[in-house]
C-alpha cells in the first residue's frame, strides 16, 4: 500500500504546482473510499483525518497524466482507476 499512498501526495502536489507530467501507479480515488472498501463495517468517513482526494485534485492538473494500473493488483481495485479516468476526460 505504500506505493499507492504516494499517489495521494503526488496528486496534492501536482494540483498546487505545474509539473511537466504526472504518473500515477495504481491510484485510488480517495483514502476514505479505499478505507470503505476494506472496512465497510467501520465509519471510515469519521475516522480518516487525511483524505487524499485524488479524484478532486486530478481535475486541476495542467499537464499530461499517465495512469498505470494492473487488473491483478490485489491492494487497490482497478475500478478506482476507471473512476479517475471518468473524472478527468483529458487522459
Amino acid at each position: 500500500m505504500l506505493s499507492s499512498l504516494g499517489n495521494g501526495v503526488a496528486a496534492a502536489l501536482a494540483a498546487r504546482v505545474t509539473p511537466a507530467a504526472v504518473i500515477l501507479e495504481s491510484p485510488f480515488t480517495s483514502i476514505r473510499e479505499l478505507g470503505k472498501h476494506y472496512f465497510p463495517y467501520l465509519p471510515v468517513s469519521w475516522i480518516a483525518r487525511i483524505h487524499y482526494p485524488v479524484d478532486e485534485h486530478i481535475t486541476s492538473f495542467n499537464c499530461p497524466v499517465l495512469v498505470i494500473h494492473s487488473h491483478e493488483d490485489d491492494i487497490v481495485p482497478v475500478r478506482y482507476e476507471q473512476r479517475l479516468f471518468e473524472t478527468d476526460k483529458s487522459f
Side-chain angles (χ1 to χ4, degrees):
M1 182 104 133
L2 292 177
S3 67
S4 299
L5 283 176
N7 290 301
V9 177
L13 181 61
R16 293 182 184 177
V17 300
T18 305
V22 175
I23 299 173
L24 301 175
E25 181 181 354
S26 299
F28 49 84
T29 51
S30 72
I31 289 291
R32 286 183 174 180
E33 285 196 38
L34 192 59
K36 288 177 186 179
H37 170 75
Y38 281 105
F39 306 105
Y41 47 84
L42 293 176
V44 175
S45 295
W46 296 351
I47 297 170
R49 291 182 176 178
I50 300 172
H51 307 184
Y52 287 129
V54 176
D55 55 351
E56 293 175 18
H57 292 308
I58 201 167
T59 59
S60 64
F61 291 176
N62 293 319
C63 63
V65 180
L66 172 64
V67 177
I68 303 169
H69 203 122
S70 171
H71 287 280
E72 297 176 9
D73 188 331
D74 58 351
I75 297 174
V76 179
V78 73
R79 73 172 187 246
Y80 292 110
E81 180 270 331
Q82 291 168 339
R83 287 182 50 204
L84 287 175
F85 183 77
E86 293 168 2
T87 300
D88 185 18
K89 296 296 182 184
S90 66
F91 285 147

